[in-house]
Amino acid sequence: MDYDAFADLYDHQYDIYRDDLHLYAGLGERAGGPVLEIGAGTGRVTAFLARRGVDITGLEPSARMIERGRERAAKENLTLTFVQGDARTFKLERKFALAIAPFNALMHLYTPNDQLQALENIHAHLTSGAPFAFDLYVPRFGKANTMRHEGETFYAPDGARTDVFLVQRHDKVRQHITTEYHVDTTQPDGTLKRRHYTLTQRYYTRYEIEWLLRFAGFESPRVTGSFQGGPLETGSDVMVFQTRAL
């Protein structure tokens, strides 16, 4: 996924998402040391924790996402630390008291080798016993190969209207879900411009993640079906994992 091209739409779609913030902020405030965020994006979570005095470093592979994150920091008068790097291969000099990977960040690891390499690398950057928390969506999808509008419409100050349509393609063998975004911007004079983006994610099952964590040197996780700590059930939309580095 080329998030450089996707960064502006990403901010429009998710900047107001708040469901996960208090969980990660609480963990960060209790960590008692520096926090590493995997997949920081444009700094939505990074900024929220920094405003609460958390010493947080955001790891992000996309230069454009980091640029948007620094723009956010300037607007909010914050000092945010971003590092451009890949979860599988980054190397930092310091160890962290907590690692977090919010908002499906681990779904950009497409093979078991990628996943294990990233988890082992995260483990290597944690102090002994340090917690690691992350969330993943429960793999439940809409009708495949069908163009749909899911209520995402954005209005610009100049009167332009942007609508987001999507088509999803499901590769069950590889556990990949690919979303094709068709982003239509209509100017007040009726001029239409369409942009196209492709997002591929590798989804997980609960017990697959539990085994991966154990192989990477983490303890068996606590798994919940909400950010408030409710049980993981059939109707849950999210899986929240909390574990520690052994």
Side-chain angles (χ1 to χ4, degrees):
M1 172 67 191
D2 178 10
Y3 266 104
D4 286 355
F6 196 58
D8 293 349
L9 175 62
Y10 180 92
D11 255 357
H12 274 300
Q13 287 183 296
Y14 303 120
D15 192 49
I16 61 172
Y17 182 71
R18 296 287 183 270
D19 294 8
D20 56 353
L21 291 178
H22 289 286
L23 170 71
Y24 290 119
L27 291 170
E29 289 167 345
R30 294 191 295 272
V35 175
L36 174 64
E37 180 186 1
I38 305 297
T42 62
R44 179 182 64 87
V45 176
T46 326
F48 192 82
L49 269 64
R51 284 195 296 270
R52 281 152 180 74
V54 176
D55 175 10
I56 184 166
T57 296
L59 179 80
E60 170 56 44
S62 165
R64 176 60 181 149
M65 287 286 207
I66 291 174
E67 183 181 342
R68 288 297 299 259
R70 288 176 175 150
E71 291 169 4
R72 177 197 300 273
K75 287 179 184 176
E76 299 185 18
N77 198 28
L78 289 171
T79 299
L80 299 182
T81 301
F82 292 102
V83 175
Q84 187 174 4
D86 187 307
R88 298 167 297 177
T89 56
F90 76 93
K91 291 189 185 341
L92 301 177
E93 295 301 320
R94 69 195 310 201
K95 294 244 182 179
F96 295 86
L98 165 70
I100 61 174
F103 203 52
N104 308 312
L106 300 184
M107 296 181 76
H108 298 291
L109 300 165
Y110 299 108
T111 69
N113 283 341
D114 290 339
Q115 295 151 10
L116 191 56
Q117 185 181 359
L119 290 173
E120 288 176 339
N121 196 25
I122 294 166
H123 186 282
H125 284 81
L126 288 172
T127 59
S128 179
F132 174 37
F134 57 95
D135 62 277
L136 302 165
Y137 66 64
V138 175
R140 188 169 52 246
F141 311 110
K143 189 174 181 180
N145 306 314
T146 301
M147 178 81 79
R148 60 186 189 267
H149 188 293
E150 297 197 321
E152 290 184 304
T153 300
F154 311 107
Y155 295 91
D158 63 2
R161 166 179 171 150
T162 296
D163 289 280
V164 182
F165 301 87
L166 60 86
V167 178
Q168 287 189 313
R169 311 190 194 284
H170 190 184
D171 184 339
K172 295 181 181 180
V173 174
R174 293 190 295 170
Q175 292 180 218
H176 286 186
I177 191 76
T178 297
T179 304
E180 304 279 349
Y181 290 92
H182 301 272
V183 184
D184 289 356
T185 299
T186 307
Q187 299 297 333
D189 65 1
T191 304
L192 174 66
K193 178 182 178 181
R194 168 165 285 183
R195 290 166 289 158
H196 176 258
Y197 308 97
T198 302
L199 170 65
T200 297
Q201 295 174 300
R202 202 295 199 165
Y203 61 85
Y204 299 85
T205 63
R206 169 187 177 168
Y207 295 113
E208 178 183 22
I209 285 291
E210 293 203 26
W211 277 109
L212 278 166
L213 288 170
R214 292 179 67 179
F215 275 118
F218 293 94
E219 69 180 20
S220 294
R222 175 180 177 234
V223 186
T224 61
S226 75
F227 294 104
Q228 293 73 39
L232 180 61
E233 299 175 326
T234 302
S236 299
D237 293 320
V238 67
M239 299 183 285
V240 181
F241 295 84
Q242 296 185 57
T243 183
R244 292 185 179 275
L246 297 174

